[in-house]
Amino acid sequence: MPLLVMKFGGTSVADLARIRNAAGKVMAEVEGGHDVILIVSAMAGKTNELVRWVSDISPFYDAREYDAVVSSGENVTAGLMALTLQEMGVPARSWQGWQVPIVTTGQHGAARFIEIPREAVDRKFAEGMKVAVVAGFQGVTREGRITTLGRGGSDTTAVAFAAAFGAVRCDIYTDVDGVYTTDPRISGKARKLDRIAYEEMLELASLGAKVLQTRSVELAMRYKVPVRVLSSFTPGGSSGGTIVCDEEDIVESRVVAGIAHSREEAKMTLQGVPDRPGIAAGIFGPLAEAGVNVDMIVQNISEGGLTDMTFSCPTDQVGRAERAVSEARARGEIAFAGLVADTGVAKVSVVGIGMRSHTGVAATMFRALAGEGINIKVITTSEIKVSVLIDRKYMELAVQALHDAFGLDKAA
Ligand code: ASP
Ligand code: MG
């Protein structure tokens, strides 16, 4: 039997009626001749509630117990889904991560897969089970402690199962009907893409397009798993949506695929840093150890042996970042005269694999922003993206202007 992996996110399983709706889509795939591994998220809002409960007990909670609590939302959905399928006459059973077992590293709250053995699930398929309902987002260490993969981790569970079981495809059902050229809530002209390359999706995902967890896209790219993102609220089968695939499988020719934005950015500047070998390592080592996700980095030209070092990170990590560099300074590992945090910025990025072979994208971008009188604070580029930091209050305007400037409302 061809094997399909299907995943339903929290809003798609928010109550029993929606679980029944999702189960109907699974049954249709079974009737179409598939065995299905079905990955489920916690019911909408559940994980947030569990996280809140843990933090209310202590802000310095034991990460292992956090995982024990926070992973439980998926267990409930998995059982309810298996029951619902059984009621519909579909042979199904649920699996918690440890039962498979989905073996992960011991980084609680951010665990990574070590292995997903197939034996137990395959044996059940051989006995006539049609749907293995697996709790997403969770795993178990070799020592037997429950782990979670980080928020949004069920996407990654789904892609990992698709890779491990050689699935024909991984269908991610969510509350939007695909990947858009930009956030439709910001630009009414946003257009759904039929296909998007792994690399573009990776950039969009890590830049704040919340459709897929970034790591799920990394895995899909590495194992060449075709992923389809589609809405669970659209009637009908698994057509439509957006396919995330290899760039060779994209016929549409376009330079820019989409505009991403990320609202909660902060710009931090260390002033008066002695400009000598090792300073970058001295600064960014402690930031990494403190778990600060540094994104853009700019070192200015130095004067009198001193330079400024600017970097960006999520706004909620500013406190942690300040502490990390201040402690490194107190230990004498680095020196700087001042630290300025600007928490009122947003990042807007233009993404597209076509940039590899087309010039002028950055120029078009800067012209469009200038046309709206938007000042650029920091610029970074990679092979397939140009990102700028701007004042947060202009973020929507910038996204709209760039969407127009690259003609993204029109199909290529
Ligand atoms: N329930 C988890 C979360 O809300 C995992 C997921 O849904 O992907 O982050
Ligand atoms: Mg999600």
Side-chain angles (χ1 to χ4, degrees):
M1 286 284 171
L3 181 94
L4 184 66
V5 170
M6 302 172 78
K7 180 253 168 180
F8 287 88
T11 49
S12 302
V13 294
D15 53 35
L16 295 186
R18 289 195 181 172
I19 289 178
R20 222 171 289 124
N21 169 64
K25 292 189 182 289
V26 177
M27 186 164 89
E29 297 293 358
V30 170
E31 285 168 347
H34 289 102
D35 282 347
V36 175
I37 293 180
L38 172 57
I39 311 296
V40 289
S41 285
M43 295 160 92
K46 195 69 208 169
T47 308
N48 288 340
E49 179 180 59
L50 296 169
V51 168
R52 232 174 8 249
W53 285 347
V54 170
S55 329
D56 280 354
I57 293 175
S58 162
F60 307 105
Y61 51 74
D62 175 345
R64 292 162 300 190
E65 299 305 342
Y66 167 98
D67 278 353
V69 173
V70 168
S71 62
S72 66
E74 272 70 12
N75 297 344
V76 174
T77 320
L80 293 174
M81 181 62 87
L83 285 170
T84 307
L85 285 162
Q86 289 170 5
E87 277 307 297
M88 293 173 158
V90 181
R93 71 154 271 192
S94 71
W95 304 78
Q96 295 182 8
W98 65 271
Q99 293 174 301
V100 174
I102 301 170
V103 184
T104 73
T105 60
Q107 295 147 279
H108 287 275
R112 290 180 166 263
F113 294 115
I114 293 175
E115 91 178 304
I116 301 179
R118 294 178 50 160
E119 295 75 48
V121 173
D122 275 344
R123 202 178 321 120
K124 286 291 166 189
F125 277 130
E127 287 171 13
M129 175 189 67
K130 298 311 278 173
V131 182
V133 187
V134 179
F137 179 52
Q138 55 174 263
V140 63
T141 65
R142 292 216 193 276
E143 294 72 43
R145 297 302 303 248
I146 302 297
T147 53
T148 63
L149 308 173
R151 298 306 304 271
S154 296
D155 295 334
T156 304
T157 307
V159 173
F161 269 81
F165 285 78
V168 291
R169 205 175 60 241
C170 180
D171 285 346
I172 307 266
Y173 284 86
T174 174
D175 49 8
V176 293
D177 62 350
V179 179
Y180 278 72
T181 49
T182 197
D183 185 340
R185 285 165 304 186
I186 293 187
S187 171
K189 297 183 195 164
R191 186 173 52 84
K192 184 173 75 67
L193 294 161
D194 292 332
R195 283 172 180 259
I196 186 166
Y198 292 123
E199 279 178 82
E200 292 171 331
M201 192 62 229
L202 203 52
E203 292 287 1
L204 293 176
S206 59
L207 290 172
K210 297 207 171 57
V211 233
L212 290 175
Q213 198 198 33
T214 306
R215 272 177 43 219
S216 71
V217 187
E218 283 168 7
L219 269 189
M221 182 158 106
R222 179 147 101 228
Y223 295 101
K224 294 208 181 300
V225 176
V227 173
R228 192 197 291 268
V229 177
L230 68 176
S231 166
S232 64
F233 304 121
T234 314
S238 59
S239 60
T242 299
I243 297 202
V244 190
C245 58
D246 216 71
E247 60 185 270
E248 270 100 74
D249 301 324
I250 297 183
V251 283
E252 240 189 328
S253 81
R254 60 177 184 224
V255 180
V256 168
I259 314 292
H261 63 84
S262 146
R263 194 182 297 272
E264 302 303 323
E265 297 284 326
K267 170 177 163 243
M268 316 264 295
T269 302
L270 293 174
Q271 297 164 317
V273 180
D275 193 4
R276 52 173 167 73
I279 56 153
I283 293 169
F284 294 103
L287 287 170
E289 274 157 39
V292 176
N293 293 314
V294 171
D295 176 36
M296 308 164 115
I297 300 178
V298 180
Q299 184 184 340
N300 288 338
I301 94 169
S302 64
E303 246 184 83
L306 296 179
T307 184
D308 288 347
M309 188 77 89
T310 296
F311 62 91
S312 71
C313 68
T315 37
D316 60 358
Q317 295 180 1
V318 166
R320 218 186 294 175
E322 282 172 342
R323 194 167 59 199
V325 290
S326 303
E327 286 175 359
R329 178 165 67 172
R331 289 194 302 268
E333 292 165 14
I334 56 172
F336 57 88
L339 173 60
V340 183
D342 176 356
T343 53
V345 295
K347 182 173 60 179
V348 175
S349 311
V350 170
V351 174
I353 45 176
M355 281 183 214
R356 285 200 203 110
S357 47
H358 284 74
T359 55
V361 171
T364 304
M365 179 181 195
F366 303 154
R367 218 177 295 121
L369 294 172
E372 299 294 341
I374 299 171
N375 187 36
I376 300 171
K377 298 180 171 222
V378 180
I379 303 169
T380 56
T381 65
S382 79
E383 213 188 5
I384 67 161
K385 115 188 143 184
V386 184
S387 299
V388 296
L389 281 189
I390 58 171
D391 264 337
R392 186 173 303 136
K393 59 176 180 281
Y394 299 128
M395 191 189 80
E396 277 84 3
L397 180 61
V399 169
Q400 290 156 0
L402 293 171
H403 200 267
D404 285 347
F406 290 101
L408 291 176
D409 51 333
K410 300 175 217 54

